C-alpha cells in the first residue's frame, strides 16, 4: 500500500526531470516533441561538423532546429523535412548518407574488405594445413623408419 | 608474383586516397544548388528598409551575391576584393547581409565603404538557409535566368576571380542557350493569356 502512495511523488520527480532540459522549442503535442528529438539527432551541424544539430550551439544549428520545429508544427512529414535540408545543404547534412552509386564504396567497401580478407585468410590457412597433411616423401619416410627403428633398440 | 603485387597495390590504393585527402578541406561542402534556380527571396535592403530587393527584380542580368555580416571577421578581409570587383564594373555585386542587425550592418558599410549595389537584410537567416549558407563569407554567381552557376565558400581572392569567375561569366554571356533556359520554359504559359486578352480588345 505504501508503495502506491509513493507513486505520485515518483511521477512528480519524473516530470521535473523533463522540465530541466532546456530547449526554446516547445510543442503542445508530445508526439511532436518525440519527432523533434529524433530528427535533430540525425542531422549534422555544418558549422561544427562533428556534432549533430541536437548537440550544437552554433547559430546555424539553432536556426535549423527552429526550421525543423516549425515544419513539425505544420505537420510536415519526416521525409519532407529531410528533403528540405538536403535540397539546401546536400547529403552532407545527413549522418546516415543514402545508398547511391557515389556512396556504394562507403556502404559496401568495409563488407568487401571483410570478404576479400577472410577469403585470403581461408585459402592461406587451408594451403598450410594441406602442407602438413601432405604424404611424406620417400627419403623422409626412410628417416622416420630409422628413427622408429632406433627407438625399438 | 601476385602474392607480393596484390598487397603492394592495395597499399598504394589506400595511400593514394589518403594523399588526395590531405588537400581536401572538409569545411568546403559542395552546394547542391549549383545549376539550379536561385531560391526565391524578397527582403528589405540594409540601407533603406522601405526598399525591397528580390530574386525577380534581379532577373535578366548576371550578378554576384556576396553573403556578409558585420560580425564576420573574414568578410572584412574579403572587403577589398569585393570592392575591386564592384569597381571593375564587370558585374553587379549584391550583398546578402546574413543574421546581422541593421544598425551594425550600416555602421560596417559606413566604416569600410559600401561596394554593393544593394544588400538584402536577412535578419533571421531564413534566406541564408534557403541558399545553403553555413558560414560567411560565401559568394554565388547567378545567371540572367536566375540560376546559381557557381558558389565560392570563404574569402574570395583575385586568383579565384581571374581563374574561375571571369571565365564563367564570359561563358554565360557568350552562350544564349544558358540565358534562354528558364524564360523559354515560362514563355508559353506567360504569353498565351496576354495574347488572348489583347485579341478581343483589338
Amino acid at each position: 500500500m505504501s508503495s502506491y502512495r509513493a507513486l505520485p511523488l515518483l511521477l512528480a520527480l519524473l516530470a521535473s526531470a523533463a522540465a530541466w532540459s532546456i530547449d526554446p522549442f516547445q510543442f503542445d503535442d508530445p508526439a511532436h516533441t518525440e519527432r523533434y528529438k529524433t530528427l535533430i539527432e540525425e542531422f549534422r551541424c555544418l558549422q561544427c561538423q562533428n556534432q549533430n544539430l541536437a548537440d550544437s550551439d552554433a547559430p546555424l544549428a539553432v536556426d535549423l532546429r527552429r526550421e525543423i520545429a516549425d515544419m513539425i508544427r505544420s505537420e510536415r512529414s519526416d521525409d519532407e523535412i529531410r528533403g528540405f535540408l538536403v535540397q539546401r545543404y546536400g547529403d552532407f547534412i545527413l549522418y546516415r548518407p543514402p545508398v547511391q552509386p557515389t556512396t556504394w564504396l562507403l556502404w559496401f567497401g568495409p563488407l568487401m574488405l571483410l570478404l576479400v580478407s577472410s577469403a585470403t585468410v581461408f585459402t592461406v590457412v587451408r594451403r598450410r594445413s594441406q602442407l602438413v597433411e601432405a604424404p611424406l616423401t620417400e627419403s623422409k619416410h626412410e628417416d622416420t623408419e630409422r628413427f622408429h627403428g632406433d627407438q625399438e633398440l | 608474383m601476385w602474392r607480393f603485387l596484390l598487397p603492394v597495390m592495395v597499399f598504394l590504393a589506400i595511400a593514394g586516397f589518403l594523399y588526395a585527402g590531405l588537400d581536401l578541406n572538409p569545411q568546403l561542402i559542395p552546394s547542391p544548388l549549383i545549376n539550379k534556380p536561385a531560391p526565391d527571396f524578397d527582403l528589405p535592403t540594409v540601407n533603406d528598409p522601405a526598399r525591397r530587393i528580390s530574386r525577380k527584380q534581379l532577373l535578366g542580368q548576371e550578378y554576384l551575391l556576396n553573403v556578409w555580416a558585420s560580425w564576420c571577421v573574414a568578410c572584412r578581409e574579403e572587403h577589398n576584393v569585393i570592392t575591386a570587383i564592384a569597381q571593375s564594373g564587370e558585374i553587379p555585386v549584391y550583398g546578402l547581409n546574413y543574421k546581422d542587425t541593421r544598425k551594425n550592418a550600416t555602421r560596417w558599410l559606413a566604416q569600410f565603404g559600401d561596394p554593393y549595389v544593394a544588400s538584402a537584410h536577412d535578419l533571421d537567416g531564413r534566406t541564408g538557409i534557403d541558399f545553403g549558407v553555413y558560414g560567411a563569407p560565401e559568394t554565388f554567381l547567378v545567371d540572367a535566368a536566375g540560376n546559381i552557376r557557381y558558389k565560392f565558400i570563404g574569402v574570395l581572392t583575385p586568383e579565384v576571380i581571374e581563374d574561375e569567375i571571369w571565365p564563367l561569366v564570359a561563358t554565360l554571356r557568350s552562350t544564349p542557350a544558358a540565358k534562354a533556359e528558364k524564360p523559354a520554359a515560362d514563355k508559353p504559359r506567360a504569353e498565351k493569356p496576354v495574347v488572348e486578352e489583347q485579341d478581343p480588345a483589338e
Side-chain angles (χ1 to χ4, degrees):
Chain A
M1 268 313 218
S2 62
S3 64
Y4 281 107
R5 231 176 290 159
L7 197 68
L9 188 70
L10 212 70
L11 285 173
L13 279 171
L14 282 173
S16 64
W20 285 335
S21 64
I22 302 158
D23 200 322
F25 304 111
Q26 301 291 334
F27 301 91
D28 299 332
D29 186 346
H32 284 178
T33 314
E34 277 314 302
R35 278 186 62 204
Y36 173 75
K37 281 184 180 160
T38 325
L39 275 171
I40 59 173
E41 293 278 337
E42 60 174 85
F43 298 117
R44 187 195 303 270
C45 167
L46 289 100
Q47 268 169 349
C48 31
Q49 298 181 354
N50 292 325
Q51 280 186 313
N52 59 21
L53 287 186
D55 292 337
S56 176
D57 268 333
L60 180 64
V62 178
D63 286 356
L64 289 177
R65 286 205 296 266
R66 178 194 65 200
E67 293 295 313
I68 292 169
D70 284 352
M71 284 188 276
I72 288 173
R73 280 194 204 101
S74 52
E75 298 289 349
R76 303 263 295 268
S77 75
D78 287 1
D79 279 341
E80 280 176 310
I81 294 171
R82 254 176 235 124
F84 175 91
L85 291 166
V86 169
Q87 203 192 334
R88 285 159 178 76
Y89 291 100
D91 290 335
F92 192 81
I93 201 164
L94 303 172
Y95 260 121
R96 183 186 288 271
V99 181
Q100 58 193 26
T102 50
T103 57
W104 282 351
L105 191 65
L106 181 72
W107 277 101
F108 306 119
L111 187 70
M112 290 304 294
L113 212 62
L114 181 71
L115 286 178
V116 168
S117 50
S118 38
T120 313
V121 169
F122 183 74
T123 43
V124 165
V125 166
R126 211 175 61 169
R127 209 176 288 163
R128 291 233 173 115
S129 65
Q130 275 171 351
L131 224 75
V132 172
E133 282 164 20
L136 297 173
T137 55
E138 199 60 26
S139 64
K140 286 217 172 141
H141 200 66
E142 281 170 13
D143 284 350
T144 4
E145 274 190 346
R146 206 182 304 144
F147 176 73
H148 282 295
D150 286 349
Q151 276 202 323
E152 271 167 30
L153 281 172
Chain B
M1 187 62 173
W2 278 105
R3 286 178 66 179
F4 301 103
L5 259 180
L6 200 69
V8 171
M9 279 161 63
V10 169
F11 169 76
L12 285 178
I14 294 174
F17 274 116
L18 293 177
Y19 183 75
L22 286 178
D23 282 337
L24 293 177
N25 183 350
Q27 296 289 334
L28 301 182
I29 302 158
S31 172
L33 293 166
I34 307 292
N35 293 329
K36 301 237 173 78
D40 218 1
F41 63 92
D42 185 3
L43 292 167
T45 64
V46 167
N47 289 328
D48 179 5
R51 259 189 64 210
R52 293 188 81 82
I53 179 168
S54 69
R55 174 183 186 272
K56 234 180 223 169
Q57 274 176 28
L58 302 181
L59 285 177
Q61 58 171 354
E62 294 86 12
Y63 63 94
L64 289 178
L65 186 70
N66 177 241
V67 182
W68 68 278
S70 65
W71 47 261
C72 157
V73 182
C75 297
R76 217 167 286 187
E77 200 184 317
E78 192 190 38
H79 185 263
N80 287 336
V81 183
I82 296 290
T83 308
I85 301 176
Q87 281 172 351
S88 76
E90 290 284 338
I91 190 165
V93 184
Y94 290 86
L96 179 65
N97 179 240
Y98 177 61
K99 285 179 75 70
D100 207 351
T101 60
R102 176 168 274 116
K103 192 178 140 208
N104 286 343
T106 44
R107 194 167 54 196
W108 195 87
L109 290 174
Q111 191 179 345
F112 298 103
D114 185 354
Y116 305 104
V117 181
S119 280
H121 187 215
D122 183 24
L123 179 63
D124 60 9
R126 281 207 157 89
T127 301
I129 288 176
D130 286 343
F131 271 87
V133 170
Y134 61 89
E138 290 184 15
T139 306
F140 295 85
L141 172 62
V142 183
D143 71 11
N147 300 309
I148 292 178
R149 290 298 181 185
Y150 177 81
K151 178 185 183 182
F152 187 83
I153 297 154
V155 177
L156 270 177
T157 60
E159 289 77 34
V160 173
I161 294 161
E162 282 301 320
D163 300 343
E164 294 181 42
I165 295 184
W166 290 151
L168 197 55
V169 170
T171 326
L172 288 176
R173 285 179 179 160
S174 63
T175 48
K179 282 183 187 174
E181 239 171 57
K182 217 185 166 202
D186 286 346
K187 253 180 191 171
R189 263 179 289 143
E191 270 184 356
K192 257 185 192 167
V194 177
V195 174
E196 278 164 14
E197 276 166 30
Q198 277 178 344
D199 275 347
E202 282 171 359

